[in-house]
Amino acid sequence: MIDTTSFIVRSSGRKDGRYYIDYIGHYKAEEISRAFRIDLEKLRSIYLANGAALDTDIEIYYFNDMISAQKAISEIFSSTKKAERGRAIIFTESKIEYIRKALINESGFAAINNKLKDRILNKLNG
């Protein structure tokens, strides 16, 4: 599962007023391409369309402002298949317990197959 919370726009310590994209500790386009499972050329074209410039010494694309980098992240995320996208949500312990009981008792979840129920329960039991 891929979610946007794994992307961070960081201010460069090397170049004043420049920003780069960090995806779970990866900064280079090749690394992000591999980790995010997006075609490298597609990723580069998204970067360039949003005004990024490649620093060939360290192989990192820099953006002129945070907004351009955020737009690039949005485009990268929208290029993934919907089935692979996710989002982080937070539940209180009482809500988690309610969902857990509902899954076990199948109240309202009768149409969900057992494998999916097991995956959800595994995540809830964390």
Side-chain angles (χ1 to χ4, degrees):
M1 177 185 67
I2 299 167
D3 68 86
T4 56
T5 60
S6 300
F7 283 100
I8 301 170
V9 176
R10 297 195 183 275
S11 179
S12 173
R14 293 177 179 248
K15 296 186 176 215
D16 288 335
R18 300 297 175 138
Y19 302 87
Y20 63 95
I21 294 174
D22 174 342
Y23 177 68
I24 54 173
H26 300 290
Y27 317 109
K28 296 180 179 183
E30 290 176 352
E31 294 172 346
I32 292 173
S33 167
R34 221 176 2 262
F36 193 77
R37 296 183 301 249
I38 184 173
D39 180 68
L40 180 58
E41 290 309 312
K42 184 172 189 170
L43 180 63
R44 286 180 175 154
S45 69
I46 290 171
Y47 280 1
L48 295 174
N50 285 284
L54 178 64
D55 181 333
T56 55
D57 293 337
I58 54 176
E59 298 293 316
I60 293 177
Y61 283 87
Y62 285 106
F63 296 84
N64 292 328
D65 54 62
M66 291 184 83
I67 294 170
S68 297
Q70 288 289 352
K71 285 172 67 177
I73 290 170
S74 294
E75 286 183 40
I76 292 166
F77 191 69
S78 67
S79 72
T80 62
K81 296 175 185 172
K82 194 170 185 175
E84 294 177 2
R85 293 184 207 161
R87 55 184 142 158
I89 53 176
I90 299 171
F91 289 117
T92 61
E93 287 297 324
S94 62
K95 297 254 195 255
I96 291 171
E97 189 59 31
Y98 178 81
I99 294 168
R100 189 181 292 121
K101 285 179 182 176
L103 284 167
I104 292 168
N105 296 328
E106 296 189 9
S107 58
F109 292 98
I112 298 177
N113 70 38
N114 286 334
K115 286 184 181 180
L116 180 58
K117 284 182 194 177
D118 288 343
R119 289 197 338 242
I120 294 169
L121 283 170
N122 285 338
K123 287 183 181 188
L124 292 174
N125 292 333

